[in-house]
Amino acid sequence: MGIGNATGRTAGNLRQNRLGTGTVDRYRRLLLQLAASAQALVMLPLRAGTRSATATAPAMSTGHVADGRHDFDFLHGQWQIRNERLKQRLAGSTEWEIFGASQWCQPLLGGLGNVDDFVSDWHRPGVGERFIGMTLRLFSPESRQWSLYWAGNHDGRLESPMVGHFDNGTGTFHGHGEHEGQPVQVRFRWSQVSANTAHWQQAFSQDQGETWETNWHMWFRRSDEEGRLLHDDGVIELRQYTLRPGRRDDLVELFEREFIEPQEAVGMHVIGQFRDLDDDNRFVWMRGFADMPVRAEALNGFYGGPTWARHRDEANATMIDSDDVLLLRPLRTDSALARSGARPAQGAADAAKGLVEAGICYLDEAADSGFAQRFEQQLAPRLLAAGAELIGVYVTESAPNTFPRLPVREGEQVLVWFARFADVDAHHRYESALLADGLWNTAVAQALLDGLRQPPQRLRLAPTPRSELRI
């Protein structure tokens, strides 16, 4: 059982290059057969869906329910997918296999349905061709339910539908299946939906839904025409780690080899990682999330997933403290960090150049109460005059921590600026200019009398080899 998704390239030539001519021909024949089957099924999902929903899906509320026909609009377009699939189902296994896939999804019937194709890197045991699938989704305006039909290149047949709907941003769909000759109840769940992220998971039950075992996760990340992931960083974390003496390079190497792509695959954006030039035992990094609910699910996906389980002991052995974390949001929509260039590949020559300054202003109250205006009118112009290239301004995100397993500095009110410099010498000239700038010194002194708790803390941060944020 599974759910189908798409190729990740819009042009047929790109698909042919990946799959080979013979596979493409078989794949096209499969799609033609499925399209013919789908056309015949267009009038049937209401009846089939009603039978399945009656047996397995929770009863719908008798009150007002949103129409629902646009609930899957978020899925249209091109995606990259990280699959985490339990190797042995309903056997108490904790061993997961991880593989990639790509997907292209397009609407049908004026929005009452959609279809996708799912091209994976996974091979069924004993089969040379990689696994390809598709899902046909159809919405019933009468029942306000979706029926989801899955098919794969192993048999070319549409399976019985999964039926359900979305409620408060989470889609739940139920149906029947079979595992090793035994009947099971099957549940699909869609969550973590944002402009550029989504999470699908499949679970089986052998006891009429009393208990469920999740056996497959698909973490969706939207990509552009060049295959680069798209990000929406409505919330970021500024993380400062105190490390054991002499262990910083060990953590940098481990982080850049094992932790960047798996975090991004489950819904985060690893913005940049840095060596603190003024503390040999401090590692600083930033990651972004679309919003706080996406943050909670992405963090749970990574820290509850197989990659962290495999490497956490090695990572934790380098650390003394990892709880110095500020949760931030852009001061204004135009004050967020701009999209950076492509991240260097693993093993690329160390081309990290430049320096990033993080200026942290600790405040008596929220920056919106007055300090933000003071910063923009009095402090920021002096930073620019001294030679800083301001690339982002952030303030405290006041929402409760949605992932308590990782503490953040709740209750702290800050404004943080980020500035970029060509090299250490350029930053030295900037510091000298600030020191000699009477207007800067006066503005800081006035701020200390009106909301600023201490002079701004300025971190000098050198990008690591694979840091996306760099010159």
Side-chain angles (χ1 to χ4, degrees), residues 161-176:
M162 302 287 294
V163 179
H165 65 282
F166 278 78
D167 186 21
N168 294 323
T170 298
T172 305
F173 306 86
H174 289 83
H176 294 287

Side-chain angles (χ1 to χ4, degrees), residues 403-445:
F403 194 72
R405 179 177 165 187
L406 291 184
V408 301
R409 294 170 62 172
E410 295 182 275
E412 298 259 11
Q413 294 295 332
V414 299
L415 179 146
V416 181
W417 78 76
F418 296 100
R420 188 160 47 193
F421 299 85
D423 50 36
V424 172
D425 288 342
H427 190 266
H428 282 326
R429 292 192 294 271
Y430 152 82
E431 286 187 313
S432 298
L434 274 187
L435 185 64
D437 187 348
L439 293 177
W440 167 259
N441 294 319
T442 298
V444 171

